[in-house]
Every structure is written in C-alpha cells, then in structure tokens.
Amino acid sequence: MLASGLGGQVNLLTDYIVVGFVINPVAVTSFSLTQRLITVLGGFITFSTNATWAGLSEVLATGERSVFEARVLELLRLLIGGGLLVVATLAAYNARFVTLWVGREYYAGDLLTALTAMQVLIVSFLLLFTWTIDAQGDTRYRVTVATVGAALNLGLSVVFARWLGMWGVTLGTVVGYLAADAWYSPYLFSRRYGVSLRAIARETARAVALGLPWAGIIWFVAHARTAPAGWLAFAMQFGIACSLSGIYCWVVILTRADRGAWP
C-alpha cells in the first residue's frame, strides 16, 4: 500500500515541480491556473469513483458475480460516459473562464486544457478498479506495474517538457497512465474477480464513443465567440451547457435499464 500510494503521489503531484525545473518557475502559475477549473470541478468524478469501493466490495463478498459485473459495467457507463461529458464541458469553457478570472496571458493553451481533461478522466477510470483491488487486500499484485508507471510518468514528463513545452508535462502523465495502470488495473480486476475483460472494454469504448460527439459540439459552441463575455453571460452559458450535458447523459449514455433503475 505504501509503495502504490507513493507511486500515485508521484503521478499526481510532480507536474508542478517538472514545470518549474525544466521550463521556469514563473510558468508554474500559468500551468496551475489553466488546470484549476478542470482539476477542481472534474475532480468530483474522481471523488465519486473513490466512493464505489465499499459497495463493490460488499457485492463481491456475496459471491454473485453476475450482479457484481452488472454493477461494474453500470459504473463504467456513468463515470466514463458522464465523466467525459463533464470534463469536455469544463475544457470547452476553460479558456473563457481563465480569461475572465486572471487574464488571457495566464492561459497556457488548448492542448494543456484537453490533456488535463483526459488525465482527469483516465484517473477516474483506473481508480474504479484500483480502489476495489486495494480493498480486497490485493495491492501486491499491482504494485510493480504502478511503480513502473510512476517512474515512466516522471521521466516522460521531463522529456516531453524539454521537447514540447508546458503541455508536454501533462502529455507525459497521460502516456504514463495509459502505458501502465490504465490497462493493467482492469486486466487484474478481471482476472481476480471474474468480470469479463471484453465487457469492460466494450462498455468503456461505448461510453467514449457516445460522449465524443458532445465533446465536439460543446467545444465548437464555446469557441464560436472569440471575445469573452462578462461573468453573468459566462455563468448563464456554462450553466445551460452543464444542464444539457446532464440531459445528454440521461438520454444517450445510460441504457434503458439504467434509466429504469435510477428513479
């Protein structure tokens, strides 16, 4: 647990250090401010994922593997599909938010915004599996891959920062996750708890495929006006976008069985 926890902290908390060391300390401000809206509000997806381990562990303890698999796939649809809508909406309005908040000169670019949204979604995805694995006392089976992933994350962040600049730091983090925890944790989860890996891949791909059209639409709508409006206009537009994303999730992402169970 200690080793895997240290690896997780390296993944999440070293980006600022890399930016300050490789680029310059002043750049940390723009890096942090550009990520703030997505990491704070998008972080609620991660918090929601952290709350699933107790329920999943309880269902797993009953031995009803079909029920357990059904609940895992339902959570995937909600956290990945719904989470994609949330982070896509936050990313679409991030430039206007930062401009109104501190000024356009502190916005570090759309690539950093998009990669930050991707990072939040990937972390939420893998935590769905790692929290249950850890709760079952099986951390030892993933600690090697998690440690290698943390080292890869740090190394790639440094290399990409020197090569690509500020957004390369987050690119290194995303690639580090994808190369290690993001694929190994679902694999280990499937092997140890009897959930079909094919079903996990299918529901994940379905949620992403159904969420991407919304991401494209809301990005286009949010960037249709180049001049930022005032706070009131921004709040109204952002609130409408969030409400519509909730409707989109209910109608498009969730299945008929999900919609029947939720009320």
Side-chain angles (χ1 to χ4, degrees):
M1 285 293 290
L2 175 62
S4 64
L6 288 174
Q9 294 303 305
V10 169
N11 285 335
L12 294 173
L13 300 179
T14 57
D15 285 358
Y16 295 154
I17 298 174
V18 172
V19 170
F21 178 75
V22 176
I23 302 175
N24 62 69
V26 177
V28 175
T29 301
S30 295
F31 185 84
S32 174
L33 293 174
T34 300
Q35 289 190 319
R36 189 61 55 87
L37 178 69
I38 301 171
T39 55
V40 172
L41 295 186
F44 284 106
I45 306 169
T46 305
F47 299 151
S48 299
T49 306
N50 292 348
T52 64
W53 66 268
L56 288 178
S57 297
E58 183 177 353
V59 175
L60 182 60
T62 66
E64 299 181 14
R65 295 304 173 93
S66 61
V67 176
F68 179 70
E69 179 173 305
R71 296 287 75 77
V72 170
L73 298 181
E74 179 186 4
L75 284 169
L76 277 174
R77 288 190 292 271
L78 181 63
L79 294 172
I80 302 304
L84 176 56
L85 303 184
V86 171
V87 296
T89 304
L90 294 173
Y93 284 90
N94 190 43
R96 293 170 65 180
F97 172 79
V98 174
T99 301
L100 287 169
W101 181 25
V102 291
R104 185 74 181 189
E105 65 273 19
Y106 290 101
Y107 181 64
D110 291 342
L111 281 174
L112 178 59
T113 291
L115 287 167
T116 301
M118 190 180 301
Q119 174 184 309
V120 169
L121 193 63
I122 291 171
V123 171
S124 300
F125 170 76
L126 66 91
L127 284 179
L128 174 63
F129 304 104
T130 58
W131 272 99
T132 303
I133 292 170
D134 292 347
Q136 296 301 310
D138 292 332
T139 308
R140 62 189 181 279
Y141 296 111
R142 71 176 188 88
V143 66
T144 301
V145 173
T147 303
V148 171
L152 183 64
N153 178 344
L154 182 58
L156 288 176
S157 293
V158 172
V159 172
F160 288 163
R162 294 184 183 277
W163 180 30
L164 302 170
M166 200 180 304
W167 64 271
V169 178
T170 305
L171 177 62
T173 301
V174 169
V175 173
Y177 277 129
L178 292 176
D181 289 300
W183 70 267
Y184 185 75
S185 293
Y187 169 77
L188 178 62
F189 188 92
S190 172
R191 287 283 303 271
R192 294 203 61 81
Y193 312 129
V195 177
S196 168
L197 187 60
R198 180 175 297 180
I200 292 174
R202 183 188 67 244
E203 290 300 328
T204 302
R206 173 188 176 276
V208 171
L210 292 177
L212 283 177
W214 172 262
I217 291 169
I218 199 62
W219 185 273
F220 174 79
V221 170
H223 287 74
R225 294 182 61 187
T226 56
W231 278 113
L232 180 59
F234 172 83
M236 291 178 62
Q237 294 172 24
F238 184 66
I240 292 171
C242 291
S243 299
L244 291 176
S245 70
I247 296 172
Y248 186 97
C249 181
W250 180 264
V251 175
V252 178
I253 302 296
L254 299 182
T255 65
R256 180 178 299 178
D258 294 336
R259 292 192 294 271
W262 269 85

